[in-house]
Amino acid sequence: MRGVLVDSLPGLLVGATRRGARAGTARRTSRRLVPTLGLSSVVLLVPLLCLGTVRAETVRVVSLAPSLTEIMVAIGATNELVGRSSACKYPAAVTNVSVAGDFGIPALEPLALLKPSLVLTVDLAEKNSAEAIGRLGIRHVSIPCRSLDDIANAIRTIGKLVHREPVADKLADDFSARLATLRKQAPAQKHRVFLEVWNDPLVTAGKRSFLTELVALAGGDNIGADEIGRAHV
């Protein structure tokens, strides 16, 4: 976690010293200050300053994508999750979290009532929704999760946003290592597969979908990837 005072303390001390030197008072000030505080007081002062700045401000998050909600839980940020989309149902712990819209579709009134400081999405169904969220004074961050290679970056990004960097970085590294292993172990001979994402209307995964990547890792060859360049059709 970052402490603003700790980060700026060296600069403040340097600035104070320079100002004192210009005024010709630095030496006189130091002679007065040290006897007054005493060495033990000075030693105690720095830890107290540090303790007062390591506490990061709590982030109140609404996630409008199942993948991002799952990442929040995986890095230990369940308590920061104050809202979710109706599609966010895993893990089971998130079902107790208030619904603030659908997948990529914020419900502005419930969203405002939750008073989040951050809304996470992978994509918005309506582009003007981002402006609407901004008018409520809420920060919106869109995190791409279009391919398996995006996942590690998504984990790290969310970790920074909710002050869980160490846990998030480790999870991202583990994910990347496991993904690399699976790619090396993927069967050379593939089984032709039709992947049904939805039945009415019929939707399948295209070449750019992470679902096509998952099928390939399992030894399949998505027939939709042959002709379809988009993620879903």
Side-chain angles (χ1 to χ4, degrees):
M1 297 181 184
R2 292 170 292 182
V4 176
L5 288 177
V6 173
D7 289 345
S8 60
L9 185 58
L12 290 174
L13 292 176
V14 170
T17 302
R18 288 174 179 169
R19 287 193 297 273
R22 285 196 295 269
T25 61
R27 187 172 299 172
R28 292 194 299 274
T29 300
S30 64
R31 280 199 293 264
R32 289 197 303 270
L33 179 63
V34 174
T36 301
L37 291 175
L39 180 59
S40 61
S41 298
V42 174
V43 171
L44 288 172
L45 179 61
V46 173
L48 286 174
L49 283 172
C50 294
L51 286 173
T53 58
V54 295
R55 296 176 183 173
E57 181 181 355
T58 300
V59 184
R60 293 175 58 84
V61 179
V62 168
S63 170
L64 296 179
S67 55
L68 305 184
T69 297
E70 187 172 346
I71 290 172
M72 285 282 295
V73 175
I75 64 174
T78 307
N79 289 339
E80 283 83 350
L81 190 66
V82 299
R84 63 179 175 94
S85 78
S86 59
C88 300
K89 300 177 180 179
Y90 180 85
V94 305
T95 58
N96 296 322
V97 177
S98 299
V99 173
D102 297 324
F103 190 174
I105 306 174
L108 296 179
E109 186 173 349
L111 184 68
L113 290 174
L114 292 171
K115 298 181 179 180
S117 56
L118 176 64
V119 173
L120 299 179
T121 66
V122 295
D123 200 5
L124 287 168
E126 299 291 338
K127 298 306 178 185
N128 58 6
S129 293
E131 297 178 3
I133 293 171
R135 285 194 295 270
L136 292 174
I138 303 169
R139 183 185 181 190
H140 165 241
V141 177
S142 179
I143 302 176
C145 286
R146 297 182 181 89
S147 71
L148 294 182
D149 289 323
D150 289 335
I151 302 301
N153 289 332
I155 294 170
R156 289 192 176 91
T157 298
I158 294 176
K160 291 178 182 178
L161 291 171
V162 300
H163 314 300
R164 294 290 195 285
E165 290 98 324
V167 177
D169 288 345
K170 183 179 186 308
L171 181 62
D173 290 342
D174 291 346
F175 178 88
S176 296
R178 179 60 175 157
L179 181 58
T181 299
L182 288 173
R183 282 173 170 164
K184 290 178 181 178
Q185 296 174 348
Q189 186 171 353
K190 307 289 186 180
H191 299 280
R192 298 282 284 175
V193 175
F194 173 75
L195 183 59
E196 182 181 296
V197 177
W198 198 254
N199 64 332
D200 187 19
L202 185 62
V203 177
T204 188
K207 184 176 183 178
R208 293 189 297 166
S209 171
F210 73 92
L211 295 174
T212 296
E213 294 181 84
L214 289 175
V215 169
L217 291 177
D221 180 17
N222 177 23
I223 63 174
D226 291 344
E227 304 294 338
I228 302 168
R230 289 175 288 173
H232 297 97
V233 175

